[in-house]
Amino acid sequence: MSLRHAALGLLSAGPASGYDLLKTFEISLAEVWPATQSQLYGELGRLAKEGLVRVVSEGPRGRKEYEITEEGLAELRHWLVEVAPNLSRRNDMLLRVFFLDQVDADAARGYLERLAQQAVHEHDQLRGVRESVISQGDDALRMYGDIALEWGLRLTAAQRDWAEWAAARVAALEQQKAGHAAAE
Amino acid sequence: MSLRHAALGLLSAGPASGYDLLKTFEISLAEVWPATQSQLYGELGRLAKEGLVRVVSEGPRGRKEYEITEEGLAELRHWLVEVAPNLSRRNDMLLRVFFLDQVDADAARGYLERLAQQAVHEHDQLRGVRESVISQGDDALRMYGDIALEWGLRLTAAQRDWAEWAAARVAALEQQKAGHAAAE
DNA sequence: CAGCGACATTCCATTAGTGACATGTCGAAA
DNA sequence: TTTCGACATGTCACTAATGGAATGTCGCTG
């Protein structure tokens, strides 16, 4: 149930409408905690009913500006440091690896090589983001964004290395088997 | 919708009952694709109805032994190499990092240090698994299990390094601020 | 042979997440 | 001035996942 905390977190930076938050979810938070409108608007309603956020003003087009309340802030801080992060570990990519013996070595190697390429691509994109962000200053405010970005960079680098290593292992086994076959 | 593929994957290694599969989900697949009984039994029923698996025998206690069919195997192979892995990117731990500026530097540092400790712990556990597995031979059959294990080892190592680095950065900023305060 | 623990399945209520549709308003540009 | 795209919210149907309860059987051990 972290969508609510994501919403609270965004509102902790200042009041915003559901529409505003949605934009942030699509842009900044898409890689970490994607959300659809239906979910977000629903959650905002619930948060308001529970008093963790409050409607501060109604703008044009029925726009409702939400503000985080003291209770909301308390809940956010509580969640941040006192609630154990549940490492939601579902990993489609890794699940496939377990069953890769169901396809031939060529296909398996292809899969792993594609993973490596994807990792390189994502890594490059993140580097691009860092370049574009590095120009505008204020170290203190940007720190946690930087730290998150660094996580992405390290993860994609590790993923690339691993996938390349794995592809090489599969290739080595392929070779070995080919050798055996030739020797018979 | 990968639960079905996880089930198919497990059944590709040989017939088993829902109960058997559940054990595997709890033990081997828990870190990659957890599943509850309600989900698994439901999915097995659906898979059977669609002809991807088949009940081969009914044992004592109403036990139903499922076997993967040709269609099931085809679907599994298709999924393995032709369907784009959706990197399910929801990450509770990283989401918190974005909002860590809502707590003081000490608490933030504490959070990151705990992450590092957890990563070390998980890394050690995985090393234990590797040690216990390394004794029984057959390189070829174990390869993909090894590759998956290696992923875990590399990921936890990277996570530890990152968390330590991040904690140090937060500490550095803390120092810097303390210096500023003293200078005033 | 009594009883218990492992085996084994089914069902249900609830929450989280997806995707699409419906509805309407405002502001700027052609 | 009309019209179009961005703004803005709400709702619905559906699937995936969680967690727990209910129900019963088999096989071993005291």
Side-chain angles (χ1 to χ4, degrees):
Chain A
M1 205 194 29
S2 286
L3 173 68
R4 68 169 24 205
H5 297 113
L8 287 174
L10 292 180
L11 286 175
S12 76
S17 69
Y19 193 83
D20 293 338
L21 295 183
L22 205 58
K23 284 292 152 64
T24 316
F25 270 100
E26 275 163 11
I27 299 164
S28 326
L29 251 44
E31 298 305 318
V32 182
W33 207 274
T36 57
Q37 325 141 304
S38 13
Q39 240 190 313
L40 184 55
Y41 282 116
E43 194 61 52
L44 281 173
R46 250 167 280 141
L47 284 168
K49 212 165 62 186
E50 294 170 35
L52 302 181
V53 304
R54 183 193 335 158
V55 176
V56 272
S57 76
E58 310 220 358
R61 279 170 284 211
R63 173 190 175 95
K64 290 189 215 161
E65 193 120 10
Y66 288 96
E67 184 184 60
I68 192 167
T69 63
E70 270 310 312
E71 291 97 310
L73 218 46
E75 168 58 27
L76 175 64
R77 292 194 178 120
H78 166 71
W79 170 76
L80 271 173
V81 289
E82 287 165 51
V83 180
N86 65 338
L87 33 127
S88 95
R89 48 217 187 288
R90 247 173 212 118
N91 188 332
D92 187 351
M93 164 256 132
L94 199 55
L95 179 64
R96 290 172 205 235
V97 172
F98 279 107
F99 306 132
L100 227 38
D101 59 352
Q102 286 300 317
V103 296
D104 59 65
D106 259 353
R109 197 168 38 75
Y111 174 70
L112 294 165
E113 280 165 1
R114 245 173 299 131
L115 288 182
Q117 283 164 24
Q118 275 171 31
V120 168
H121 183 242
E122 281 170 49
H123 189 85
D124 287 347
Q125 288 213 311
L126 288 175
R127 274 213 318 217
V129 172
R130 180 151 72 179
E131 290 310 311
S132 75
V133 159
I134 215 155
S135 40
Q136 57 248 42
D138 203 340
D139 287 355
L141 278 182
R142 244 187 36 238
M143 182 172 58
Y144 293 112
D146 275 5
I147 288 177
L149 192 56
E150 180 70 21
W151 186 87
L153 287 165
R154 290 179 185 224
L155 184 84
T156 47
Q159 169 90 6
R160 177 205 55 212
D161 292 348
W162 166 82
E164 282 173 359
W165 167 86
R169 264 197 75 165
V170 173
L173 192 84
E174 223 176 341
Q175 282 292 318
Q176 196 187 308
K177 278 212 175 128
H180 270 295
E184 277 164 27
Chain B
M1 206 194 31
S2 286
L3 173 68
R4 68 169 22 204
H5 296 112
L8 288 173
L10 292 180
L11 285 174
S12 76
S17 69
Y19 193 82
D20 294 337
L21 295 184
L22 205 56
K23 285 293 153 66
T24 316
F25 270 99
E26 275 164 12
I27 299 164
S28 328
L29 251 44
E31 299 304 318
V32 183
W33 206 273
T36 58
Q37 328 140 305
S38 10
Q39 239 190 314
L40 183 56
Y41 281 115
E43 193 62 51
L44 281 172
R46 251 167 281 140
L47 283 168
K49 213 166 62 185
E50 293 170 36
L52 301 182
V53 305
R54 181 192 338 158
V55 177
V56 273
S57 77
E58 310 221 357
R61 279 170 282 209
R63 173 192 174 92
K64 289 188 216 160
E65 193 121 10
Y66 289 96
E67 185 183 61
I68 192 167
T69 63
E70 270 310 314
E71 291 97 313
L73 219 46
E75 168 57 27
L76 176 64
R77 292 194 179 119
H78 167 69
W79 170 75
L80 271 172
V81 289
E82 286 167 52
V83 179
N86 63 335
L87 34 128
S88 93
R89 48 217 188 287
R90 247 171 214 116
N91 188 331
D92 188 350
M93 165 256 131
L94 199 55
L95 179 63
R96 291 171 204 236
V97 172
F98 279 107
F99 306 132
L100 227 37
D101 59 352
Q102 286 301 315
V103 296
D104 59 65
D106 260 352
R109 197 167 38 75
Y111 174 70
L112 293 165
E113 280 165 1
R114 247 173 299 131
L115 289 181
Q117 283 164 25
Q118 276 172 31
V120 167
H121 184 243
E122 282 170 48
H123 190 85
D124 287 348
Q125 287 213 312
L126 288 175
R127 274 213 317 216
V129 171
R130 180 152 72 178
E131 290 310 310
S132 75
V133 158
I134 214 155
S135 40
Q136 57 249 42
D138 203 340
D139 287 356
L141 278 182
R142 245 187 35 237
M143 182 172 57
Y144 292 113
D146 276 4
I147 287 177
L149 192 55
E150 179 71 20
W151 186 86
L153 287 165
R154 289 179 185 226
L155 185 83
T156 47
Q159 170 89 6
R160 178 204 55 213
D161 292 347
W162 167 82
E164 282 173 359
W165 167 86
R169 265 198 74 166
V170 172
L173 193 82
E174 223 176 342
Q175 281 292 317
Q176 196 187 307
K177 278 207 177 134
H180 270 296
E184 277 164 27

